[in-house]
Amino acid sequence: MKDGLRAAFDELAPPAHPSLSASVREAVAAGRRPRRIRRPWLAPAVAVLLVLLVVVVGIRLQPTRSPSLAIPPQPPWTVSRFNPGAQVAFVNLQSGLIAVDPQGKAVLRSSGETSPGVFALRSPDGATVYLVGVGGVTSIDAATGRKLRQYRLTQPGPVSQPVVSPDGSYLALLSSYGATYILEVVDLRTGDEQVAKFARDPRARTPGLTGSSAAWGVPVFGLDSQHLYAITDWGGPARLTAFELQQGKILMLGSSADRGNTLPTCDGPALAPKVVAGGATLVAFCHSSGLVWFLDLRTLSAIAAVDSHQPNPFWFSPLFTPDGKRLYLHQWPGFGDSMTMLDLTTRKLYGPSKTPQTTDQPGIFASLFTTAYAGGVASTVPLSPDGKELYSATADGVLEFRMPDLKLLRRFGRGYNFDEVWVSGDGLTVYGLAGGGKQLVIMNGSGVVPVNLPSPALGFIASEHG
């Protein structure tokens, strides 16, 4: 009987596979079954583990797909700055001013022209540079460096950032004197000036500042160059005041405070405004909080406020496209090199996304040795005149990106540690400040030409500001 049972078991258990251990093969050959230990809970536990394994593995192996961003198309705009002066780079130095043409020739070297109390700006066509100080304005021919004209000013107090109208006909600046704001408009064709005075809110908050110099305000022209707006006391309560130029006179149209409208606030002393939407909307970027305001210029009221999620104050450089449809917020490479885009029509935020780079990246431990930056905003808007390319200064050359999707096209000017760049009016020359502002590097079809500066640069003098 024993032999019969063994034969029956042999039929159920065929010869052992060679991969089995010797002890198991011996047991199988002897016709002995391994001893079974009864564990009634084992099967359910294994079943539960298998189910969990399937769920976890299924989740982990499921492909993750980033949603595609349907960025609206951006048609190129017309290049119009072909005059010789628009191709010359003007650099504000600690000791004065220098202007260099695309061939590397200095058309202007001056000392003492600029100081902390003097503002420098360019006309929209790039042909003229204006130096605005207490008591007067000096216009300079950008092509030759020759002084053209002196304009007299009457403002008694500190001056805010002056602006030139889109058609180049007027220059406006805002100053304060005690409890009064003074808006002064100079006709750059005739030299005539007009002044409008309006009250400053005594409740205005200017954190960290006291006295008349604490007045936070900036003027901005409408697209028609006839309407002018002043954003004042934006530390709170902020006020938006509208003016109109009529037959050489400046007329105050109204104020948001008069209409009881409450506007957003900005807790820092820098605001970048631009009139968009055919002149109906004013968009302003607060450098401190990263908040983007949308103000209705017909009702002088707030439409919306979009948080750009700026990681730290003064980290984003705002780049308004000339058509007023987009706002690009560039986080400088020293802070992480990323880009956020805000569609000013839909108020939809895209990003932030890492700016595309080449394979020339730092080592994996480079993040352990970081440099601390307090903040910094570019003095220019480095877009090509046709709006097709955007330029970014890096520690090893300049990156050129395709607009609006920011695809990396090329890197040029390798070997130079750039702080910022400026593009000539015809788009054929890119100028960069390198080496801590000690060099001006000229890059065009003729090659790369470095020019040593007599003193460290403070930034480019441009018609568009970051």
Side-chain angles (χ1 to χ4, degrees):
M1 184 176 180
K2 183 177 180 180
D3 293 339
L5 290 174
R6 179 179 296 175
F9 184 73
D10 288 342
E11 291 181 1
L12 295 174
H17 193 275
S19 63
L20 295 176
S21 66
S23 61
V24 175
R25 289 201 305 270
E26 181 181 357
V28 172
R32 297 193 302 268
R33 284 179 175 270
R35 182 181 178 185
R36 292 185 179 180
I37 300 175
R38 293 184 176 276
R39 293 189 175 96
W41 51 267
L42 184 59
V46 171
V48 172
L49 288 174
L50 288 174
V51 171
L52 291 175
L53 182 63
V54 170
V55 172
V56 172
V57 172
I59 292 175
R60 290 176 62 87
L61 295 182
Q62 184 178 2
T64 56
R65 298 178 181 178
S66 300
S68 58
L69 298 179
I71 298 178
Q74 175 181 289
W77 42 82
T78 304
V79 180
S80 58
R81 292 181 293 178
F82 289 110
N83 64 80
Q87 321 316 320
V88 177
F90 274 72
V91 181
N92 201 355
L93 306 174
Q94 292 182 0
S95 61
L97 195 66
I98 188 171
V100 181
D101 66 13
Q103 289 71 44
K105 177 185 176 182
V107 300
L108 173 65
R109 288 178 182 266
S110 66
S111 60
E113 292 287 350
T114 58
S115 66
V118 176
F119 290 94
L121 67 160
R122 295 184 82 136
S123 60
D125 62 3
T128 310
V129 171
Y130 298 98
L131 303 179
V132 183
V134 176
V137 178
T138 302
S139 62
I140 298 174
D141 180 23
T144 63
R146 180 173 57 90
K147 292 184 180 180
L148 298 175
R149 188 169 183 173
Q150 287 285 133
Y151 301 89
R152 184 177 60 88
L153 296 177
T154 59
Q155 90 289 345
V159 178
S160 69
Q161 175 66 54
V163 292
V164 178
S165 62
D167 64 1
S169 299
Y170 302 98
L171 184 146
L173 55 93
L174 191 67
S175 61
S176 62
Y177 185 71
T180 302
Y181 276 115
I182 301 173
L183 178 66
E184 189 167 0
V185 180
V186 178
D187 190 324
L188 297 173
R189 300 160 298 185
T190 64
D192 295 337
E193 61 174 346
Q194 298 296 326
V195 175
K197 298 181 180 180
F198 55 104
R200 176 185 171 191
D201 195 324
R203 303 170 298 164
R205 296 190 300 272
T206 52
L209 298 176
T210 57
S212 61
S213 62
W216 291 354
V218 63
V220 55
F221 275 97
L223 300 180
D224 61 359
S225 297
Q226 299 300 310
H227 288 82
L228 182 61
Y229 307 92
I231 310 175
T232 55
D233 298 327
W234 59 67
R239 177 181 295 189
L240 176 63
T241 308
F243 302 86
E244 184 178 7
L245 298 174
Q246 293 182 353
Q247 299 178 349
K249 304 293 183 181
I250 184 169
L251 175 67
M252 181 173 170
L253 300 179
S255 170
S256 60
D258 300 335
R259 304 182 186 186
N261 294 329
T262 301
L263 303 182
T265 58
C266 177
D267 59 350
L271 197 72
K274 186 176 180 64
V275 174
V276 301
T281 304
L282 190 149
V283 177
F285 173 73
C286 174
H287 283 276
S288 178
S289 66
L291 205 65
V292 183
W293 304 355
F294 289 80
L295 308 179
D296 189 329
L297 294 178
R298 294 163 295 191
T299 62
L300 302 181
S301 61
I303 303 173
V306 177
D307 187 357
S308 67
H309 306 294
Q310 180 178 236
N312 281 295
F314 300 95
W315 271 31
F316 282 166
S317 291
L319 298 89
F320 287 99
T321 56
D323 59 6
K325 294 183 178 180
R326 292 176 179 82
L327 169 62
Y328 286 88
L329 300 171
H330 186 200
Q331 187 171 326
W332 189 61
F335 306 158
D337 204 354
S338 65
M339 188 75 72
T340 300
M341 192 271 281
L342 177 62
D343 189 309
L344 299 181
T345 302
T346 63
R347 299 195 287 276
K348 183 176 180 180
L349 199 67
Y350 297 87
S353 299
K354 281 288 185 181
T355 306
Q357 301 289 317
T358 65
T359 57
D360 185 18
Q361 297 290 322
I364 59 174
F365 297 112
S367 60
L368 299 179
F369 309 97
T370 58
T371 303
Y373 294 95
V377 176
S379 64
T380 65
V381 176
L383 285 171
S384 63
D386 58 6
K388 291 183 178 181
E389 291 87 26
L390 170 68
Y391 299 92
S392 174
T394 75
D396 185 22
V398 176
L399 299 182
E400 179 182 347
F401 300 100
R402 182 178 66 193
M403 295 284 281
D405 61 349
L406 298 183
K407 174 180 173 56
L408 179 61
L409 298 178
R410 64 183 178 124
R411 181 193 292 262
F412 56 92
R414 281 185 175 275
Y416 292 95
N417 185 355
F418 288 104
D419 298 318
E420 59 180 275
V421 294
W422 180 78
V423 188
S424 65
D426 56 12
L428 299 179
T429 303
V430 175
Y431 297 86
L433 292 176
K438 297 179 181 179
Q439 280 187 318
L440 175 66
V441 183
I442 306 167
M443 296 161 283
N444 51 34
S446 301
V448 178
V449 179
V451 177
N452 293 326
L453 300 177
S455 66
L458 301 176
F460 288 102
I461 299 174
S463 54
E464 299 90 8
H465 296 274

